[in-house]
Amino acid sequence: MIRFTRAAAAAVLVCSLALPAGVATAAGPDSPTTSGPAAAHAAQVARAATLPAPTGPYAVGSTVLPLVDRSRTDPWVPTADGRALMVTLHYPAARSGGGRPAPYATRDEARLLAAQLGPGVSGDVLARTRTHSRAGVRPVSGRHPLVLLSPGFGVSRWTLTHLAEDLASRGYVVASVDHAYESFGISLPGGRTLTCVACTALDEGGVHGSVVTSTRAADMRYVLDRLTGPKPVWRYADVIDARRVGMAGHSIGGASAATAMAADPRIDAGVNMDGAFWEDLPADGLRGRPFLMLGTHDSMHLPGGQDASWDRTWTALDGWKRWVTVAGSEHFTFSDGPVIARHFGLPQPELPTDRAVAVTRTYVAAFFDQHLRGTPRPVLDGPTPANPEVHFQHR
């Protein structure tokens, strides 16, 4: 089973986030309720959720950068005016306060995703999820490593916000990228919203997943050019240390991290969070660069599991590498999925939300600390009592 086409993504969303038929309708914020637990739940769902607070020492700033690469033809809509990308930057802010609260998602984006999750999820409430970053604030001085983030197929960049904010609070500049026509909804400046043309192409057109990963690799090359090149698009781009660049992604975004590293030597380290690899690595692997595979501890992503691409890629990785699995997790554990599920009262996996958030943040941040900053992180060396859910494979 490979989880990223529209049908498969919808199945995963239903299994991992959506309420059972009837229950979702009964729990919806607009449904009539009387009193007691049902009324309390309806009141909870009608309020906006709050993302978990970042754990680092810095306040977090945020800005959105719309980009268009007109040197390429969009593979999903060739008549489009170039390849459109929406980028959210999270970064360590010079001081707390100031600016305005950064939004989580636009209403159109949230409504389109909510429609996939069932009638118990309100897109308007989802869009109002409270973040911990402020728009329009200055970054802290100095030079900071850059981490690129790519979301899963069908979902948007904002589903990785809790991780992006946490990395920024630890001193990273984080560029979360939405890839045109590859999510249920991406809002562009001017009020236009792109929908998932690629979903149909993969579901019904027989297009191979490698088209997604290779396209995203080119997207990240362009984002790097615009953030670290001679004419950067961000006014504070001088705080980015272009010699220290990492990439992480969820699902097919994680697979794209390996493809992007193979194509672009500027990316120094990569993380795949529970994504099947759609392209084999070249004969020289990643030319000695480090890579972390972080996934579910089940029949999918244990060694010898259903997703044989993890075994193939593990063998081809030629630098520092770890294969880490998390007991009680599921596919969306490594995103904002657990926070959304808990807030709307949706079925959740065995791993509690707070642990899902903590484990994802701990291991991704430790990986980049060690490989972009040169700071050893013993948590990457093997099992620890503080993280009993985490298992190291091929030791």
Side-chain angles (χ1 to χ4, degrees):
M1 176 182 174
I2 301 300
R3 295 169 286 187
F4 73 92
T5 67
R6 179 171 56 189
V12 170
L13 287 166
V14 168
C15 291
S16 62
L17 294 178
L19 287 168
V23 176
T25 302
D30 299 322
S31 302
T33 58
T34 54
S35 61
H41 174 71
Q44 158 72 15
V45 168
R47 294 192 297 268
T50 300
L51 293 178
T55 61
Y58 296 104
V60 179
S62 177
T63 191
V64 176
L65 303 174
L67 303 177
V68 181
D69 182 0
R70 292 188 171 86
S71 71
R72 290 187 289 149
T73 299
D74 191 288
W76 313 117
V77 180
T79 57
D81 182 20
R83 175 72 173 163
L85 306 169
M86 291 296 294
V87 180
T88 296
L89 290 182
H90 289 96
Y91 52 89
R95 60 184 180 87
S96 59
R100 62 189 184 282
Y104 185 58
T106 70
R107 285 189 176 183
D108 285 345
E109 291 170 339
R111 286 171 178 170
L112 286 164
L113 179 58
Q116 304 295 320
L117 305 181
V121 180
S122 163
D124 289 344
V125 174
L126 180 59
R128 291 190 286 106
T129 299
R130 290 187 285 271
T131 70
H132 295 275
S133 47
R134 312 286 293 187
V137 296
R138 294 179 60 87
V140 70
S141 60
R143 304 275 285 175
H144 306 282
L146 172 67
V147 174
L148 307 169
L149 290 183
S150 183
F153 195 80
V155 295
S156 295
R157 68 192 188 280
W158 42 270
T159 61
L160 296 175
T161 299
H162 91 69
L163 177 59
E165 288 191 330
D166 191 65
L167 287 170
S169 78
R170 298 172 186 242
Y172 292 89
V173 176
V174 183
S176 303
V177 181
D178 256 334
H179 311 270
Y181 303 108
E182 294 178 18
S183 81
F184 296 120
I186 301 172
S187 295
L188 301 183
R192 184 169 167 233
T193 299
L194 307 182
T195 55
C196 196
V197 177
C199 295
T200 302
L202 271 63
D203 276 351
E204 302 171 9
V207 176
H208 194 263
S210 61
V211 176
V212 179
T213 53
S214 60
T215 298
R216 290 194 179 192
D219 291 345
M220 292 308 193
R221 177 183 292 275
Y222 182 72
V223 170
L224 270 176
D225 290 344
R226 297 311 313 273
L227 289 177
T228 65
K231 295 182 179 179
V233 68
W234 186 36
R235 64 182 296 191
Y236 300 118
D238 58 347
V239 304
I240 296 174
D241 186 347
R243 300 167 300 175
R244 297 183 291 167
V245 177
M247 179 174 170
H250 172 239
S251 195
I252 206 165
S256 300
T259 301
M261 287 182 69
D264 195 330
R266 293 176 296 178
I267 304 175
D268 302 298
V271 181
N272 179 358
M273 298 184 291
D274 209 52
F277 294 94
W278 287 93
E279 298 178 78
D280 291 337
L281 293 179
D284 58 351
L286 296 178
R287 298 182 291 282
R289 286 168 292 169
F291 201 86
L292 169 65
M293 303 191 323
L294 178 64
T296 53
H297 188 72
D298 58 15
S299 61
M300 183 64 64
H301 283 143
L302 285 172
Q306 297 175 53
D307 182 0
S309 72
W310 276 42
D311 291 285
R312 288 198 313 273
T313 302
W314 175 259
T315 301
L317 291 169
D318 61 328
W320 185 103
K321 58 184 179 180
R322 293 289 186 274
W323 181 333
V324 176
T325 56
V326 183
S329 65
E330 53 84 37
H331 189 53
F332 281 89
T333 287
F334 310 98
S335 69
D336 290 355
V339 179
I340 295 169
R342 180 175 64 182
H343 181 75
F344 288 102
L346 309 181
Q348 299 179 64
E350 178 183 341
L351 187 68
T353 295
D354 290 344
R355 290 302 300 156
V357 169
V359 166
T360 300
R361 288 174 165 184
T362 294
Y363 285 86
V364 173
F367 174 80
F368 287 127
D369 283 351
Q370 183 157 310
H371 297 292
L372 297 184
R373 286 180 162 149
T375 304
R377 295 300 186 201
V379 73
L380 298 173
D381 295 337
T384 62
N387 298 288
E389 312 91 343
V390 176
H391 301 263
F392 284 71
Q393 308 303 326
H394 290 298
R395 290 186 55 78

